[in-house]
Amino acid sequence: MRTRTLGGRLEVSAIGLGCMGMSQSYQPIPDRADMLQLLRAAVDRGITFFDTAQSYGPLTNEELVGEGLAEVRDQVVIATKFGFDVASGEVRGLDSRPATIRSSVDASLRRLRADHIDLLYQHRVDPDVPIEDVAGTVGELVEAGKVRFFGLSEAGAGTIRRAHAVHLLTAVQSEYSLWWREPEVSVLPTIRELGIGLVPFSPLGKGFLTGTIDETTPLAADDFRSTLPRFTDQTARRSNQAFVELIRRIADRHDATPAQVALAWVLAQGDDIVPIPGTTKLHRLEENIAATELELTAEDFAAIEDAGLQAVGDRYSEAHERLIDR
């Protein structure tokens, strides 16, 4: 497995593993024992970067990741996130008050069976708490040895600058893929100016870019995607098949899969980018890993740019969009 360095200081595998779907959002939720095996299989295949959060489950995903990686803790990088009120065992809104950050980090360390967190993100920007206070609190946790590096998730360029001025950011996590390129407008230029890495989540468009979803594919009522306009609007699903058709043509030229082309495109956007595709299946994990060896051609990139595709349908519901910092 090739490696990349986030923020000039944190070396990780060229792709990581997003672990959220092992505990929530994509139905059916898999067997826990199977997911423990998958985590260990990922390590065996060279993945060293694992992404979780307090709110996944909630709480249970950190426990899963902690147990699955306990025996190889010194060989892997674990990223987790604070920023939601999960004290009751349910997600009850944003909370990045300094006291909450401190107590929640201690709780995360217990669930992760670890004495430190490698990369700690604020999950969503809390408008009620100045980002300077957040960064300062994380800086204190770094000094205490409980956290190694600081990151933000779904933060806007202005917030990134303010946080970085207080405590150096190592990574910013944002959705980024062939059908969501908004980070290129201001986030990516800003973090490159500041020397911060990008960690794209949903690099496969929440599964859409794999070519396994079309307008007839049913989604369970408790599947997270059943709340997203791009998946609930049949016109959007039909229109967005243009992305799949394009990357499938490119995949055929390389004897690859659409998922591998979509990941290879993200990887090719810079060595400071480390995507974290999620999966609960071993064959998909191996498919994703193989994308790190796929080199797209100038003709491939030109075909993508010349197509000028724009995704149809909103990315999130209105309620979810209100949590995104601009």
Short mmCIF file of all heavy atoms in Angstrom, two decimals, residues 26-89:
data_model
loop_
_atom_site.label_atom_id
_atom_site.label_comp_id
_atom_site.label_asym_id
_atom_site.label_seq_id
_atom_site.Cartn_x
_atom_site.Cartn_y
_atom_site.Cartn_z
N TYR A 26 -26.52 2.70 6.48
CA TYR A 26 -26.75 1.87 5.30
C TYR A 26 -27.26 0.50 5.74
O TYR A 26 -26.56 -0.24 6.43
CB TYR A 26 -25.47 1.73 4.48
CG TYR A 26 -24.93 3.06 4.02
CD1 TYR A 26 -23.83 3.63 4.64
CD2 TYR A 26 -25.53 3.75 2.98
CE1 TYR A 26 -23.34 4.87 4.23
CE2 TYR A 26 -25.05 4.99 2.56
CZ TYR A 26 -23.95 5.54 3.19
OH TYR A 26 -23.47 6.74 2.78
N GLN A 27 -28.48 0.21 5.34
CA GLN A 27 -29.13 -1.01 5.80
C GLN A 27 -28.91 -2.18 4.85
O GLN A 27 -28.74 -1.96 3.64
CB GLN A 27 -30.63 -0.73 5.96
CG GLN A 27 -30.96 0.42 6.90
CD GLN A 27 -30.44 0.20 8.31
OE1 GLN A 27 -30.50 -0.93 8.82
NE2 GLN A 27 -29.96 1.25 8.95
N PRO A 28 -28.91 -3.42 5.39
CA PRO A 28 -29.00 -3.77 6.82
C PRO A 28 -27.66 -3.59 7.52
O PRO A 28 -26.60 -3.70 6.89
CB PRO A 28 -29.40 -5.25 6.77
CG PRO A 28 -28.78 -5.76 5.51
CD PRO A 28 -28.86 -4.62 4.52
N ILE A 29 -27.70 -3.31 8.82
CA ILE A 29 -26.47 -3.19 9.60
C ILE A 29 -25.85 -4.58 9.71
O ILE A 29 -26.51 -5.54 10.08
CB ILE A 29 -26.76 -2.62 11.00
CG1 ILE A 29 -27.41 -1.24 10.89
CG2 ILE A 29 -25.48 -2.54 11.83
CD1 ILE A 29 -26.58 -0.23 10.14
N PRO A 30 -24.59 -4.72 9.35
CA PRO A 30 -23.96 -6.04 9.32
C PRO A 30 -23.69 -6.61 10.71
O PRO A 30 -23.72 -5.90 11.72
CB PRO A 30 -22.65 -5.79 8.57
CG PRO A 30 -22.36 -4.35 8.80
CD PRO A 30 -23.69 -3.65 8.88
N ASP A 31 -23.39 -7.88 10.73
CA ASP A 31 -23.05 -8.57 11.97
C ASP A 31 -21.75 -8.00 12.54
O ASP A 31 -20.77 -7.80 11.81
CB ASP A 31 -22.89 -10.06 11.68
CG ASP A 31 -22.55 -10.85 12.93
OD1 ASP A 31 -23.46 -11.10 13.75
OD2 ASP A 31 -21.36 -11.20 13.09
N ARG A 32 -21.73 -7.77 13.84
CA ARG A 32 -20.58 -7.15 14.48
C ARG A 32 -19.32 -7.99 14.31
O ARG A 32 -18.23 -7.46 14.06
CB ARG A 32 -20.87 -6.91 15.95
CG ARG A 32 -19.86 -6.01 16.67
CD ARG A 32 -20.31 -5.72 18.10
NE ARG A 32 -19.50 -4.67 18.69
CZ ARG A 32 -18.31 -4.89 19.25
NH1 ARG A 32 -17.81 -6.11 19.28
NH2 ARG A 32 -17.61 -3.89 19.77
N ALA A 33 -19.45 -9.29 14.46
CA ALA A 33 -18.28 -10.16 14.33
C ALA A 33 -17.69 -10.07 12.94
O ALA A 33 -16.46 -10.09 12.77
CB ALA A 33 -18.68 -11.60 14.66
N ASP A 34 -18.55 -9.93 11.94
CA ASP A 34 -18.06 -9.80 10.57
C ASP A 34 -17.28 -8.50 10.39
O ASP A 34 -16.28 -8.45 9.66
CB ASP A 34 -19.22 -9.85 9.58
CG ASP A 34 -19.86 -11.22 9.49
OD1 ASP A 34 -19.23 -12.21 9.91
OD2 ASP A 34 -21.01 -11.29 9.01
N MET A 35 -17.73 -7.45 11.05
CA MET A 35 -17.05 -6.17 10.93
C MET A 35 -15.71 -6.16 11.65
O MET A 35 -14.75 -5.51 11.20
CB MET A 35 -17.95 -5.04 11.45
CG MET A 35 -19.21 -4.82 10.60
SD MET A 35 -18.85 -4.48 8.83
CE MET A 35 -18.96 -6.14 8.12
N LEU A 36 -15.62 -6.89 12.74
CA LEU A 36 -14.33 -7.02 13.41
C LEU A 36 -13.34 -7.72 12.48
O LEU A 36 -12.17 -7.32 12.37
CB LEU A 36 -14.48 -7.81 14.71
CG LEU A 36 -15.22 -7.09 15.84
CD1 LEU A 36 -15.48 -8.04 17.00
CD2 LEU A 36 -14.45 -5.86 16.32
N GLN A 37 -13.81 -8.73 11.77
CA GLN A 37 -12.95 -9.42 10.81
C GLN A 37 -12.55 -8.50 9.66
O GLN A 37 -11.41 -8.55 9.18
CB GLN A 37 -13.67 -10.65 10.26
CG GLN A 37 -13.82 -11.78 11.27
CD GLN A 37 -14.46 -13.02 10.66
OE1 GLN A 37 -14.81 -13.03 9.49
NE2 GLN A 37 -14.62 -14.07 11.46
N LEU A 38 -13.49 -7.66 9.22
CA LEU A 38 -13.20 -6.75 8.12
C LEU A 38 -12.13 -5.73 8.52
O LEU A 38 -11.24 -5.39 7.73
CB LEU A 38 -14.47 -6.05 7.65
CG LEU A 38 -14.31 -5.17 6.40
CD1 LEU A 38 -14.00 -6.03 5.19
CD2 LEU A 38 -15.57 -4.35 6.15
N LEU A 39 -12.23 -5.21 9.73
CA LEU A 39 -11.22 -4.26 10.20
C LEU A 39 -9.84 -4.90 10.19
O LEU A 39 -8.85 -4.29 9.75
CB LEU A 39 -11.57 -3.79 11.62
CG LEU A 39 -12.76 -2.82 11.72
CD1 LEU A 39 -13.22 -2.71 13.18
CD2 LEU A 39 -12.39 -1.45 11.19
N ARG A 40 -9.75 -6.13 10.65
CA ARG A 40 -8.46 -6.81 10.68
C ARG A 40 -7.98 -7.14 9.26
O ARG A 40 -6.78 -7.07 8.96
CB ARG A 40 -8.57 -8.07 11.54
CG ARG A 40 -8.76 -7.72 13.02
CD ARG A 40 -9.34 -8.83 13.83
NE ARG A 40 -9.66 -8.39 15.19
CZ ARG A 40 -10.56 -8.97 15.97
NH1 ARG A 40 -11.25 -10.01 15.53
NH2 ARG A 40 -10.79 -8.50 17.19
N ALA A 41 -8.93 -7.46 8.37
CA ALA A 41 -8.57 -7.71 6.97
C ALA A 41 -8.02 -6.46 6.31
O ALA A 41 -7.10 -6.52 5.49
CB ALA A 41 -9.78 -8.23 6.20
N ALA A 42 -8.58 -5.31 6.67
CA ALA A 42 -8.09 -4.04 6.11
C ALA A 42 -6.64 -3.80 6.53
O ALA A 42 -5.81 -3.39 5.71
CB ALA A 42 -8.98 -2.90 6.58
N VAL A 43 -6.34 -4.06 7.79
CA VAL A 43 -4.96 -3.90 8.26
C VAL A 43 -4.04 -4.86 7.52
O VAL A 43 -2.95 -4.47 7.07
CB VAL A 43 -4.88 -4.14 9.78
CG1 VAL A 43 -3.42 -4.09 10.26
CG2 VAL A 43 -5.71 -3.10 10.53
N ASP A 44 -4.47 -6.09 7.37
CA ASP A 44 -3.66 -7.09 6.67
C ASP A 44 -3.36 -6.67 5.24
O ASP A 44 -2.32 -7.05 4.68
CB ASP A 44 -4.37 -8.44 6.66
CG ASP A 44 -4.44 -9.09 8.03
OD1 ASP A 44 -3.66 -8.68 8.92
OD2 ASP A 44 -5.27 -9.99 8.22
N ARG A 45 -4.26 -5.89 4.64
CA ARG A 45 -4.09 -5.47 3.24
C ARG A 45 -3.42 -4.10 3.11
O ARG A 45 -3.37 -3.54 2.02
CB ARG A 45 -5.45 -5.50 2.54
CG ARG A 45 -5.90 -6.93 2.25
CD ARG A 45 -7.40 -7.06 2.11
NE ARG A 45 -7.77 -8.43 1.76
CZ ARG A 45 -7.81 -9.45 2.64
NH1 ARG A 45 -7.48 -9.24 3.90
NH2 ARG A 45 -8.17 -10.66 2.25
N GLY A 46 -2.97 -3.56 4.22
CA GLY A 46 -2.15 -2.35 4.16
C GLY A 46 -2.84 -1.05 4.54
O GLY A 46 -2.21 0.01 4.54
N ILE A 47 -4.12 -1.09 4.87
CA ILE A 47 -4.79 0.15 5.29
C ILE A 47 -4.37 0.47 6.72
O ILE A 47 -4.42 -0.38 7.60
CB ILE A 47 -6.32 0.01 5.17
CG1 ILE A 47 -6.72 0.01 3.69
CG2 ILE A 47 -7.03 1.14 5.91
CD1 ILE A 47 -8.20 -0.06 3.43
N THR A 48 -3.98 1.71 6.92
CA THR A 48 -3.55 2.15 8.25
C THR A 48 -4.40 3.28 8.81
O THR A 48 -4.18 3.72 9.93
CB THR A 48 -2.08 2.62 8.23
OG1 THR A 48 -1.98 3.79 7.39
CG2 THR A 48 -1.16 1.53 7.73
N PHE A 49 -5.38 3.76 8.04
CA PHE A 49 -6.13 4.97 8.39
C PHE A 49 -7.61 4.62 8.53
O PHE A 49 -8.25 4.20 7.56
CB PHE A 49 -5.92 6.01 7.30
CG PHE A 49 -6.46 7.39 7.59
CD1 PHE A 49 -6.51 7.90 8.88
CD2 PHE A 49 -6.89 8.20 6.54
CE1 PHE A 49 -6.98 9.18 9.13
CE2 PHE A 49 -7.35 9.48 6.77
CZ PHE A 49 -7.40 9.97 8.07
N PHE A 50 -8.15 4.77 9.74
CA PHE A 50 -9.51 4.36 10.04
C PHE A 50 -10.29 5.54 10.62
O PHE A 50 -9.82 6.23 11.52
CB PHE A 50 -9.52 3.19 11.03
CG PHE A 50 -8.88 1.95 10.46
CD1 PHE A 50 -7.50 1.77 10.48
CD2 PHE A 50 -9.66 0.96 9.87
CE1 PHE A 50 -6.90 0.64 9.94
CE2 PHE A 50 -9.08 -0.18 9.32
CZ PHE A 50 -7.70 -0.33 9.36
N ASP A 51 -11.51 5.74 10.11
CA ASP A 51 -12.31 6.91 10.47
C ASP A 51 -13.59 6.49 11.19
O ASP A 51 -14.37 5.68 10.68
CB ASP A 51 -12.68 7.68 9.21
CG ASP A 51 -13.43 8.96 9.53
OD1 ASP A 51 -12.77 9.99 9.78
OD2 ASP A 51 -14.68 8.94 9.54
N THR A 52 -13.80 7.07 12.36
CA THR A 52 -15.00 6.83 13.14
C THR A 52 -15.47 8.15 13.75
O THR A 52 -14.97 9.22 13.39
CB THR A 52 -14.75 5.75 14.22
OG1 THR A 52 -15.97 5.50 14.94
CG2 THR A 52 -13.67 6.17 15.20
N ALA A 53 -16.46 8.11 14.63
CA ALA A 53 -16.96 9.31 15.30
C ALA A 53 -17.81 8.91 16.48
O ALA A 53 -18.41 7.82 16.50
CB ALA A 53 -17.79 10.17 14.33
N GLN A 54 -17.90 9.80 17.46
CA GLN A 54 -18.76 9.56 18.61
C GLN A 54 -20.21 9.36 18.19
O GLN A 54 -20.93 8.53 18.75
CB GLN A 54 -18.67 10.74 19.58
CG GLN A 54 -17.31 10.96 20.19
CD GLN A 54 -17.23 12.25 20.97
OE1 GLN A 54 -18.21 12.97 21.12
NE2 GLN A 54 -16.05 12.56 21.49
N SER A 55 -20.64 10.10 17.18
CA SER A 55 -22.05 10.08 16.80
C SER A 55 -22.44 8.88 15.96
O SER A 55 -23.63 8.66 15.70
CB SER A 55 -22.41 11.37 16.04
OG SER A 55 -21.69 11.43 14.83
N TYR A 56 -21.46 8.08 15.52
CA TYR A 56 -21.78 6.91 14.70
C TYR A 56 -22.27 5.79 15.62
O TYR A 56 -21.52 5.26 16.43
CB TYR A 56 -20.56 6.44 13.91
CG TYR A 56 -20.03 7.42 12.90
CD1 TYR A 56 -18.76 7.26 12.35
CD2 TYR A 56 -20.78 8.52 12.48
CE1 TYR A 56 -18.26 8.14 11.42
CE2 TYR A 56 -20.28 9.41 11.56
CZ TYR A 56 -19.02 9.22 11.03
OH TYR A 56 -18.51 10.11 10.11
N GLY A 57 -23.49 5.45 15.45
CA GLY A 57 -24.10 4.43 16.29
C GLY A 57 -25.33 4.92 17.02
O GLY A 57 -26.41 4.37 16.82
N PRO A 58 -25.23 5.95 17.89
CA PRO A 58 -24.01 6.61 18.35
C PRO A 58 -23.20 5.74 19.33
O PRO A 58 -23.75 4.81 19.93
CB PRO A 58 -24.51 7.87 19.04
CG PRO A 58 -25.91 7.54 19.46
CD PRO A 58 -26.44 6.56 18.46
N LEU A 59 -21.96 6.07 19.47
CA LEU A 59 -20.99 5.50 20.41
C LEU A 59 -20.51 4.10 20.01
O LEU A 59 -19.35 3.76 20.23
CB LEU A 59 -21.55 5.46 21.84
CG LEU A 59 -22.12 6.77 22.38
CD1 LEU A 59 -22.63 6.59 23.82
CD2 LEU A 59 -21.11 7.89 22.32
N THR A 60 -21.38 3.28 19.43
CA THR A 60 -21.03 1.88 19.19
C THR A 60 -19.95 1.71 18.13
O THR A 60 -19.21 0.71 18.16
CB THR A 60 -22.26 1.08 18.78
OG1 THR A 60 -22.87 1.69 17.63
CG2 THR A 60 -23.29 1.04 19.91
N ASN A 61 -19.83 2.65 17.19
CA ASN A 61 -18.81 2.51 16.16
C ASN A 61 -17.42 2.68 16.74
O ASN A 61 -16.49 1.96 16.35
CB ASN A 61 -19.07 3.49 15.02
CG ASN A 61 -18.30 3.15 13.76
OD1 ASN A 61 -17.38 3.86 13.37
ND2 ASN A 61 -18.67 2.05 13.11
N GLU A 62 -17.25 3.61 17.65
CA GLU A 62 -15.96 3.75 18.30
C GLU A 62 -15.60 2.47 19.06
O GLU A 62 -14.44 2.03 19.05
CB GLU A 62 -15.97 4.93 19.27
CG GLU A 62 -15.86 6.29 18.61
CD GLU A 62 -15.69 7.42 19.61
OE1 GLU A 62 -16.25 7.32 20.73
OE2 GLU A 62 -15.01 8.40 19.28
N GLU A 63 -16.58 1.87 19.72
CA GLU A 63 -16.33 0.63 20.45
C GLU A 63 -15.88 -0.47 19.49
O GLU A 63 -14.96 -1.24 19.79
CB GLU A 63 -17.58 0.21 21.21
CG GLU A 63 -17.95 1.15 22.33
CD GLU A 63 -19.31 0.84 22.94
OE1 GLU A 63 -20.04 0.01 22.35
OE2 GLU A 63 -19.62 1.40 24.00
N LEU A 64 -16.55 -0.56 18.35
CA LEU A 64 -16.21 -1.56 17.34
C LEU A 64 -14.79 -1.36 16.83
O LEU A 64 -13.98 -2.30 16.77
CB LEU A 64 -17.21 -1.48 16.19
CG LEU A 64 -16.93 -2.36 14.97
CD1 LEU A 64 -17.22 -3.82 15.30
CD2 LEU A 64 -17.77 -1.91 13.77
N VAL A 65 -14.48 -0.13 16.45
CA VAL A 65 -13.15 0.19 15.92
C VAL A 65 -12.09 -0.07 17.00
O VAL A 65 -11.02 -0.62 16.72
CB VAL A 65 -13.10 1.63 15.41
CG1 VAL A 65 -11.67 2.05 15.08
CG2 VAL A 65 -13.98 1.78 14.18
N GLY A 66 -12.39 0.32 18.23
CA GLY A 66 -11.44 0.10 19.31
C GLY A 66 -11.12 -1.36 19.52
O GLY A 66 -9.95 -1.74 19.66
N GLU A 67 -12.16 -2.20 19.51
CA GLU A 67 -11.94 -3.62 19.69
C GLU A 67 -11.22 -4.23 18.48
O GLU A 67 -10.27 -5.02 18.63
CB GLU A 67 -13.26 -4.35 19.91
CG GLU A 67 -13.09 -5.85 20.12
CD GLU A 67 -14.40 -6.59 20.40
OE1 GLU A 67 -15.42 -5.91 20.66
OE2 GLU A 67 -14.38 -7.83 20.36
N GLY A 68 -11.66 -3.84 17.28
CA GLY A 68 -11.09 -4.43 16.08
C GLY A 68 -9.62 -4.11 15.87
O GLY A 68 -8.89 -4.91 15.26
N LEU A 69 -9.18 -2.96 16.37
CA LEU A 69 -7.81 -2.52 16.12
C LEU A 69 -6.93 -2.56 17.36
O LEU A 69 -5.77 -2.14 17.30
CB LEU A 69 -7.82 -1.11 15.54
CG LEU A 69 -8.58 -0.94 14.22
CD1 LEU A 69 -8.57 0.53 13.78
CD2 LEU A 69 -8.02 -1.83 13.12
N ALA A 70 -7.45 -3.07 18.47
CA ALA A 70 -6.71 -3.03 19.73
C ALA A 70 -5.35 -3.72 19.62
O ALA A 70 -4.35 -3.22 20.16
CB ALA A 70 -7.55 -3.67 20.84
N GLU A 71 -5.30 -4.85 18.93
CA GLU A 71 -4.05 -5.61 18.87
C GLU A 71 -3.01 -4.99 17.94
O GLU A 71 -1.84 -5.38 17.98
CB GLU A 71 -4.34 -7.05 18.46
CG GLU A 71 -5.16 -7.83 19.49
CD GLU A 71 -5.40 -9.27 19.07
OE1 GLU A 71 -4.92 -9.66 17.98
OE2 GLU A 71 -6.08 -9.99 19.83
N VAL A 72 -3.44 -4.05 17.11
CA VAL A 72 -2.51 -3.41 16.16
C VAL A 72 -2.50 -1.89 16.35
O VAL A 72 -2.17 -1.16 15.43
CB VAL A 72 -2.88 -3.76 14.70
CG1 VAL A 72 -2.65 -5.24 14.43
CG2 VAL A 72 -4.33 -3.38 14.39
N ARG A 73 -2.85 -1.45 17.55
CA ARG A 73 -3.02 -0.01 17.78
C ARG A 73 -1.80 0.79 17.38
O ARG A 73 -1.93 1.91 16.85
CB ARG A 73 -3.37 0.24 19.26
CG ARG A 73 -3.63 1.71 19.58
CD ARG A 73 -4.86 2.21 18.86
NE ARG A 73 -5.05 3.65 19.00
CZ ARG A 73 -4.55 4.56 18.17
NH1 ARG A 73 -3.81 4.20 17.14
NH2 ARG A 73 -4.80 5.85 18.36
N ASP A 74 -0.62 0.27 17.61
CA ASP A 74 0.59 1.04 17.29
C ASP A 74 0.93 1.03 15.80
O ASP A 74 1.86 1.71 15.37
CB ASP A 74 1.78 0.51 18.09
CG ASP A 74 2.11 -0.96 17.79
OD1 ASP A 74 1.25 -1.65 17.19
OD2 ASP A 74 3.21 -1.41 18.15
N GLN A 75 0.14 0.30 14.99
CA GLN A 75 0.39 0.23 13.55
C GLN A 75 -0.59 1.06 12.73
O GLN A 75 -0.45 1.16 11.51
CB GLN A 75 0.30 -1.23 13.08
CG GLN A 75 1.25 -2.17 13.77
CD GLN A 75 0.98 -3.62 13.39
OE1 GLN A 75 0.60 -3.92 12.25
NE2 GLN A 75 1.15 -4.53 14.34
N VAL A 76 -1.61 1.63 13.39
CA VAL A 76 -2.68 2.30 12.66
C VAL A 76 -2.90 3.72 13.17
O VAL A 76 -2.45 4.09 14.26
CB VAL A 76 -4.01 1.51 12.76
CG1 VAL A 76 -3.85 0.13 12.14
CG2 VAL A 76 -4.48 1.41 14.22
N VAL A 77 -3.60 4.49 12.34
CA VAL A 77 -3.99 5.86 12.67
C VAL A 77 -5.52 5.87 12.79
O VAL A 77 -6.22 5.51 11.84
CB VAL A 77 -3.53 6.84 11.58
CG1 VAL A 77 -4.16 8.22 11.79
CG2 VAL A 77 -2.01 6.93 11.56
N ILE A 78 -6.01 6.26 13.95
CA ILE A 78 -7.46 6.31 14.17
C ILE A 78 -7.89 7.76 14.27
O ILE A 78 -7.35 8.54 15.06
CB ILE A 78 -7.86 5.55 15.44
CG1 ILE A 78 -7.52 4.06 15.31
CG2 ILE A 78 -9.35 5.73 15.72
CD1 ILE A 78 -7.83 3.24 16.55
N ALA A 79 -8.87 8.11 13.45
CA ALA A 79 -9.48 9.44 13.50
C ALA A 79 -10.89 9.31 14.08
O ALA A 79 -11.64 8.42 13.69
CB ALA A 79 -9.54 10.05 12.11
N THR A 80 -11.22 10.20 14.98
CA THR A 80 -12.60 10.26 15.48
C THR A 80 -13.02 11.71 15.58
O THR A 80 -12.24 12.63 15.28
CB THR A 80 -12.76 9.50 16.80
OG1 THR A 80 -14.17 9.35 17.09
CG2 THR A 80 -12.09 10.23 17.97
N LYS A 81 -14.28 11.93 15.98
CA LYS A 81 -14.84 13.28 15.93
C LYS A 81 -15.68 13.57 17.16
O LYS A 81 -16.36 12.69 17.68
CB LYS A 81 -15.73 13.44 14.68
CG LYS A 81 -15.07 12.97 13.39
CD LYS A 81 -16.03 13.02 12.22
CE LYS A 81 -15.48 12.28 11.03
NZ LYS A 81 -15.51 10.80 11.22
N PHE A 82 -15.65 14.83 17.58
CA PHE A 82 -16.53 15.34 18.62
C PHE A 82 -17.41 16.41 17.99
O PHE A 82 -17.23 16.79 16.83
CB PHE A 82 -15.71 15.95 19.77
CG PHE A 82 -14.97 17.20 19.37
CD1 PHE A 82 -15.58 18.45 19.43
CD2 PHE A 82 -13.66 17.14 18.88
CE1 PHE A 82 -14.91 19.61 19.02
CE2 PHE A 82 -12.99 18.29 18.49
CZ PHE A 82 -13.62 19.52 18.55
N GLY A 83 -18.36 16.93 18.75
CA GLY A 83 -19.12 18.08 18.26
C GLY A 83 -20.61 17.94 18.34
O GLY A 83 -21.34 18.90 18.12
N PHE A 84 -21.10 16.72 18.68
CA PHE A 84 -22.53 16.53 18.90
C PHE A 84 -22.75 16.15 20.37
O PHE A 84 -21.87 15.57 21.01
CB PHE A 84 -23.08 15.41 18.01
CG PHE A 84 -23.23 15.80 16.57
CD1 PHE A 84 -22.29 15.42 15.63
CD2 PHE A 84 -24.32 16.55 16.14
CE1 PHE A 84 -22.42 15.77 14.29
CE2 PHE A 84 -24.46 16.91 14.81
CZ PHE A 84 -23.50 16.51 13.88
N ASP A 85 -23.91 16.46 20.88
CA ASP A 85 -24.30 16.05 22.22
C ASP A 85 -24.76 14.60 22.15
O ASP A 85 -25.83 14.31 21.64
CB ASP A 85 -25.43 16.95 22.73
CG ASP A 85 -25.96 16.52 24.10
OD1 ASP A 85 -25.41 15.56 24.68
OD2 ASP A 85 -26.92 17.14 24.57
N VAL A 86 -23.93 13.69 22.63
CA VAL A 86 -24.26 12.26 22.61
C VAL A 86 -24.28 11.68 24.02
O VAL A 86 -24.27 10.46 24.19
CB VAL A 86 -23.29 11.47 21.72
CG1 VAL A 86 -23.43 11.88 20.27
CG2 VAL A 86 -21.84 11.66 22.19
N ALA A 87 -24.31 12.55 25.03
CA ALA A 87 -24.21 12.09 26.42
C ALA A 87 -25.33 11.13 26.79
O ALA A 87 -25.15 10.22 27.61
CB ALA A 87 -24.20 13.28 27.37
N SER A 88 -26.50 11.31 26.17
CA SER A 88 -27.65 10.46 26.49
C SER A 88 -27.65 9.15 25.72
O SER A 88 -28.52 8.30 25.93
CB SER A 88 -28.95 11.23 26.18
OG SER A 88 -29.06 11.44 24.78
N GLY A 89 -26.68 8.99 24.82
CA GLY A 89 -26.69 7.82 23.96
C GLY A 89 -27.42 8.07 22.66
O GLY A 89 -27.52 7.18 21.81
#
